[in-house]
Amino acid sequence: MKPRTSPDSPLLFDTAPLVPDFRLELKARKAGHWPVAGADEAGRGPLAGPVVAAAVILDPKRIPEGLNDSKQLSAQRREELFVQILATATVSIASSSSTRIDETDIRKASLDAMRRAICSLAIPASYVLTDGLDVPPGLDCPGQAVVKGDARSVSIAAASIVAKVTRDRMMARAHSVFPDYGFAAHVGYGTAQHRAGIERHGPCSLHRMSFRPLRKTENGPETDELLSE
């Protein structure tokens, strides 16, 4: 009996990394929706600073090469693509402050920032592709939420880059105002350096007081593990 052998390329397509393309945009265009905007946010997890959202309508004839999920790119490459996106696409940016996050919650604040970014585009979008599970309520056009959208759609990838670079620059600027926390290094995430700064100096006006461990309970501060990037 001939021994059974495993295939020479098991799960080839399941394990291959996702590469964003323009297919979802073209599908929407074929359905009569144009232009199509991609939208994404940066900064849901940090303990401090705003959540920043961006909406981008790419020019199909001038799509920058190398667009991808911002987390897959180096800081230098994100900066390079940020400049190219702003030079070739229609872009809008909005943010929700730490105060807004504390007054509502991070999901609502993120979706509201995304909605405002989309609605502020100089060219109104006919259709929107958003990263994640939700399409922001209150839009003037239909939309589609795309899981891992920044790895599937170049428009969402472009928005992820714009949002990430913008927020990183905001936190670097915040470092000059609040130097005790190291914002320029960790952009607000719960690193050891950031935790030590909070322990020594207490929170500042940029901190999200509804996030653990800043949130107070009847027994004192929460002690859950902090999120990190």
Side-chain angles (χ1 to χ4, degrees), residues 72-90:
Q72 302 300 317
L73 303 170
S74 67
Q76 179 180 344
R77 186 61 180 141
R78 287 196 297 265
E79 288 281 350
E80 294 168 350
L81 286 168
F82 177 86
V83 173
Q84 294 178 39
I85 294 165
L86 264 61
T88 59
T90 300

Side-chain angles (χ1 to χ4, degrees), residues 16-39:
L18 292 172
V19 178
D21 55 37
F22 207 60
R23 284 184 292 181
L24 290 173
E25 291 86 343
L26 292 178
K27 181 179 179 181
R29 184 174 189 172
K30 187 176 181 180
H33 299 294
W34 197 257
V36 177

Side-chain angles (χ1 to χ4, degrees), residues 69-150:
D69 172 5
S70 63
K71 295 185 291 297
Q72 302 300 317
L73 303 170
S74 67
Q76 179 180 344
R77 186 61 180 141
R78 287 196 297 265
E79 288 281 350
E80 294 168 350
L81 286 168
F82 177 86
V83 173
Q84 294 178 39
I85 294 165
L86 264 61
T88 59
T90 300
V91 178
S92 179
I93 303 168
S95 66
S96 289
S97 68
S98 55
T99 300
R100 173 75 173 176
I101 293 167
D102 288 340
E103 289 175 346
T104 55
D105 58 50
I106 186 59
R107 177 178 172 273
K108 291 177 181 177
S110 298
L111 290 175
D112 185 61
M114 196 178 295
R115 177 191 62 80
R116 286 183 282 116
I118 295 166
C119 292
S120 297
L121 284 163
I123 301 174
S126 176
Y127 196 80
V128 176
L129 299 170
T130 64
D131 182 50
L133 300 173
D134 300 297
V135 175
L139 297 180
D140 295 328
C141 65
Q144 175 186 353
V146 183
V147 175
K148 296 183 179 179
D150 47 10

